[in-house]
Amino acid sequence: MKINIDFPVEDEFYEFKTSLSELDKGIEAIAAMLNKHSKAEVFFGVANDGEVLGLKGQIGPETIKKVETRISEILKPAIVPFVIFEDYDGDKVIHVSAKGNRKPYSSSGDYRIRVGSSNKKIDPELLGELFFDSESSSLESIESINQDLTFNILKYHYVKNGLTINEENFYRNAGLKVNGKFNMLAELLADENNASIKVVRFSGYDKTKMVSRNEYGFKCLLASMQEANDYVLSLNETKVDVESGLARKEIRLFDSHAFEEAWTNACIHNKWVRNVPPAIYIFDNRIEIVSTGGLPFGYTKEDFYSGVSRPINNGLFKVMGQLNMIEQTGHGNLVIVDRYGKDVFDIADSHITVTIPFAFAPSMKQVDVNGLTPIQAKVLMAIKDNPTCTTKDLSVYCGIGTTRVGEVTKSLKELGKIERIGGAKGGYWKVC
C-alpha cells in the first residue's frame, strides 16, 4: 500500500523514513525543506518508493512526545511541528508537518537546503542570502525609522480601483504595520520617503559621458515607478521602413510591453531592505534595468525563465496585485524571453540586469536648434532630456521664471518644435 499523498515519491516537499532510528535524518530533511520552501512533510514507517511499511514495536502517545522533543532539541530556530499517527490497515505511520519562515534553519548546527530528494549542505557564504529571504528580514517585519507617515497617494489608487477604504483596518489589510508601528513597506508606499529612483542617460555605449540624470522619488513608490516608466516610454520612437518602395513598415525603438514587465519586476523583486533602489540606464543602443539582489535563495534560473512566481517582497506584491498594477501569474519574464531571448538577462548574486536592445539608432539626443534663440534651445534640450518635466522643473533647470517658461514653450509649439501630449498632470512633451 502506498502512502496517501498525490505523488507518493520523495521530492522537495516529502521525505520518507523506514523507522524512527532515522529520526535525526528526518529532522535534517525538515530543516532543508523549510530553508527551501518554508514547509515540510516527513513520514516515518514508509519506504523510499512510498510503500507503507509501518513502525514496529509499541507505538503510542509517548512516541509522539519523543519526536516532538527531539525536533525541539536539534532544529533551530524552534518551530511547532504537527505530529500525528496515521493508520494503514493496521500499519502505523508517524506523519510530521512543519511550516516556518524564520530562515535559515539548522539541524544539530548543520545548515542544508532541499534539492530534489536530497539535503545539500549550504555554503556558509550563502547563509546571509538565505537570511535576506526570510520572513524576519521582510519589508513587513522591519519597523520604519520614520513613523510620521501619510498615505494619500496610496489611498487614491485604492479608490481609483473601486476599493473601499476602511480607515480602521486599512493599515492592517495593506500590511503596513508591525507591532503596532509602521514598517518598511509603509515607508516605501508613504506620500514622502527617502527612496529615490534614478533614470540616467549616457552618450555612447558606456557610462563615460552622462547626458542627463532624472530622479523620481521621495514619494510613494507607486508614483515614482509610474513616472520613471512614462519617461522611458516617451522616448520610444517609431521608424518608418519602406521595403522595395512598396510596403510601409513601422518599427518601434524597443518593445514597450517587455520594458514595462522588466521595470515592474525590478521594483517588485528589488531587495529594498538593503536600501538600494532599482535604476534605469539608457545608452545609444540599449536600456538597462538593474535591481538589487539576485534570485531568491533556492529559486533556480529554470524557475525564473519558466515564469514560476516567487516574489521577494510579498507585501508589495500583494498591494500591487490588489491595485491591478501587476498580473499575478509570473508571466513577465516569459514576455521578455519571448521577445528578446534569455541572453538579455544578467543574473548575479548581487543584482539582476535586463538589457533591452534598440532596433535602430535613436534620435533622442539629436535636437535641431537652428534658428532658435539660446533660451529656446536650452528649454528644448531640457524637454528632450526629460519629456515629463513640469514648468517648475524647466524654471529651475534653465534659470528663468515660470512665466518666461510658459512664453518659451508657447513659442516652441508655434514653431512646431514641441507638442504637448496629455494634460498638466500625467502628460509629457513630444519633440517634433
Side-chain angles (χ1 to χ4, degrees):
M1 179 184 299
K2 295 285 186 179
I3 194 73
N4 186 26
I5 57 177
D6 291 339
F7 300 100
V9 294
E10 287 188 323
D11 58 15
E12 294 204 341
F13 299 93
Y14 295 102
E15 175 83 4
F16 304 142
K17 295 299 180 187
T18 58
S19 71
L20 288 175
S21 65
E22 299 179 284
L23 179 56
D24 284 8
K25 281 293 184 182
I27 299 173
E28 176 187 280
I30 292 174
M33 286 187 273
L34 291 177
N35 284 335
K36 182 67 174 286
H37 296 293
S38 301
K39 59 183 178 180
E41 305 281 345
V42 178
F43 295 85
F44 295 92
V46 179
N48 289 343
D49 61 359
E51 189 71 23
V52 174
L53 303 176
L55 295 172
K56 310 305 180 185
Q58 187 69 29
I59 305 297
E62 288 299 316
T63 311
I64 296 289
K65 185 176 180 180
K66 172 187 174 183
V67 172
E68 292 174 337
T69 300
R70 188 57 178 163
I71 291 175
S72 68
E73 287 175 346
I74 69 172
L75 195 146
K76 305 297 178 185
I79 63 168
V80 180
F82 184 58
V83 186
I84 61 172
F85 282 126
E86 291 181 358
D87 189 283
Y88 291 83
D89 293 336
D91 290 324
K92 289 189 175 182
V93 169
I94 287 182
H95 178 191
V96 180
S97 298
K99 292 183 178 181
N101 285 301
R102 298 170 60 198
K103 304 173 186 177
Y105 289 91
S106 68
S107 174
S108 298
D110 194 21
Y111 293 91
R112 294 178 180 269
I113 193 164
R114 193 73 167 181
V115 179
S117 60
S118 301
N119 308 314
K120 301 292 186 182
K121 199 161 187 175
I122 299 174
D123 188 317
E125 293 182 1
L126 298 180
L127 284 177
E129 289 300 313
L130 188 55
F131 171 77
F132 274 110
D133 192 40
S134 72
E135 186 178 80
S136 61
S137 65
S138 67
L139 291 173
E140 302 96 285
S141 67
I142 302 174
E143 292 181 10
S144 170
I145 296 175
N146 182 9
Q147 291 295 313
D148 185 20
L149 303 175
T150 59
F151 301 92
N152 294 321
I153 296 175
L154 179 61
K155 290 178 180 178
Y156 164 76
H157 280 284
Y158 272 89
V159 173
K160 189 175 82 169
N161 280 272
L163 300 173
T164 302
I165 294 178
N166 183 320
E167 291 291 343
E168 183 178 349
N169 299 320
F170 174 72
Y171 301 124
R172 177 174 57 82
N173 293 340
L176 304 182
K177 285 193 171 184
V178 58
N179 301 323
K181 294 185 177 181
F182 288 125
N183 53 27
M184 284 191 68
L185 176 61
E187 184 174 341
L188 273 181
L189 298 175
D191 295 328
E192 296 182 8
N193 56 44
N194 293 318
S196 172
I197 291 173
K198 295 175 178 60
V199 181
V200 186
R201 284 181 53 193
F202 298 94
S203 176
Y205 306 132
D206 56 33
K207 295 182 178 179
T208 303
K209 184 179 180 182
M210 184 173 67
V211 175
S212 65
R213 177 182 177 187
N214 300 313
E215 197 161 14
Y216 304 96
F218 311 111
K219 65 182 74 172
C220 176
L221 175 63
L222 305 182
S224 300
M225 283 177 57
Q226 192 61 53
E227 289 175 357
N229 182 83
D230 291 346
Y231 168 67
V232 175
L233 292 185
S234 72
L235 301 175
N236 197 5
E237 307 172 11
T238 300
K239 177 181 178 181
V240 178
D241 184 27
V242 180
E243 301 175 3
S244 304
L246 298 175
R248 183 179 186 276
K249 183 179 180 181
E250 291 188 350
I251 303 173
R252 298 290 282 173
L253 183 62
F254 59 89
D255 188 292
S256 295
H257 190 192
F259 165 75
E260 288 184 291
E261 291 293 344
W263 176 232
T264 300
N265 284 346
C267 292
I268 291 177
H269 300 293
N270 189 72
K271 289 194 175 178
W272 290 97
V273 294
R274 296 182 177 179
N275 294 314
V276 180
I280 301 173
Y281 301 116
I282 304 172
F283 302 86
D284 284 357
N285 63 344
R286 69 193 186 279
I287 299 172
E288 291 183 359
I289 303 104
V290 184
S291 58
T292 301
L295 300 178
F297 198 89
Y299 183 74
T300 67
K301 289 185 179 180
E302 288 70 26
D303 294 334
F304 181 85
Y305 292 128
S306 64
V308 175
S309 180
R310 188 179 171 188
I312 290 177
N313 303 298
N314 285 299
L316 181 59
F317 186 78
K318 177 183 176 182
V319 168
M320 293 184 68
Q322 291 173 339
L323 299 177
N324 295 313
M325 299 182 74
I326 56 171
E327 293 186 34
Q328 302 185 47
T329 58
H331 87 300
N333 291 336
L334 297 178
V335 170
I336 301 167
V337 170
D338 180 65
R339 178 64 181 84
Y340 292 111
K342 296 180 181 179
D343 290 343
V344 301
F345 292 95
D346 174 22
I347 302 174
D349 291 337
S350 60
H351 67 272
I352 295 177
T353 300
V354 182
T355 300
I356 304 292
F358 290 157
F360 53 88
S363 62
M364 59 177 67
K365 70 178 190 307
Q366 301 169 1
V367 181
D368 181 12
V369 296
N370 291 330
L372 300 182
T373 66
I375 193 60
Q376 285 176 325
K378 191 169 185 179
V379 170
L380 181 60
M381 291 297 292
I383 288 174
K384 187 64 178 176
D385 285 341
N386 184 5
T388 60
C389 63
T390 64
T391 298
K392 185 177 180 180
D393 293 334
L394 290 173
S395 175
V396 173
Y397 182 85
C398 299
I400 58 177
T402 55
T403 301
R404 181 63 175 143
V405 169
E407 294 172 351
V408 175
T409 54
K410 181 181 178 181
S411 67
L412 290 172
K413 285 192 287 186
E414 291 173 347
L415 290 170
K417 294 292 185 179
I418 59 174
E419 178 184 354
R420 184 67 186 180
I421 308 297
K425 290 187 177 180
Y428 63 91
W429 293 103
K430 178 182 177 183
V431 176
C432 304

